[in-house]
């Protein structure tokens, strides 16, 4: 499917859970923020979990 706004699964997701597109719930759950990283720092997506480290949140 090339057009997400015509996808029946996406339509059902918004109807039953997310509410309106660009609404509060969909914005809160589907959007992310980015933080500037210093030189030599890799993105968090490349980081492997460290044993005993429980912070798996998206920033």
């Amino acid at each position: 499917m090339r057009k997400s706004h015509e996808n029946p699964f996406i339509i059902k997701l918004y109807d039953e859970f997310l509410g309106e597109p660009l609404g509060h719930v969909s914005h809160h759950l589907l959007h992310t923020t980015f933080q500037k990283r210093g030189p030599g720092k890799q993105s968090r997506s490349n980081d492997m979990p460290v044993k005993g480290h429980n912070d798996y949140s998206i920033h």
Side-chain angles (χ1 to χ4, degrees):
M1 171 126 337
R2 301 187 100 186
K3 299 178 182 177
S4 60
H5 66 281
E6 294 177 358
N7 184 328
F9 295 107
I10 299 299
I11 293 169
K12 184 175 181 178
L13 176 67
Y14 273 94
D15 286 344
E16 295 181 4
F17 185 72
L18 295 175
E20 62 185 348
L22 303 176
H24 178 72
V25 174
S26 60
H27 179 80
H28 179 73
L29 295 175
L30 301 177
H31 290 84
T32 186
T33 59
F34 297 92
Q35 297 176 354
K36 184 176 180 180
R37 303 218 178 253
K41 300 248 182 174
Q42 294 183 356
S43 69
R44 289 179 67 79
S45 62
N46 292 332
D47 292 347
M48 296 297 291
V50 177
K51 185 176 181 179
H53 185 72
N54 295 325
D55 182 18
Y56 299 107
S57 61
I58 297 173
H59 298 277

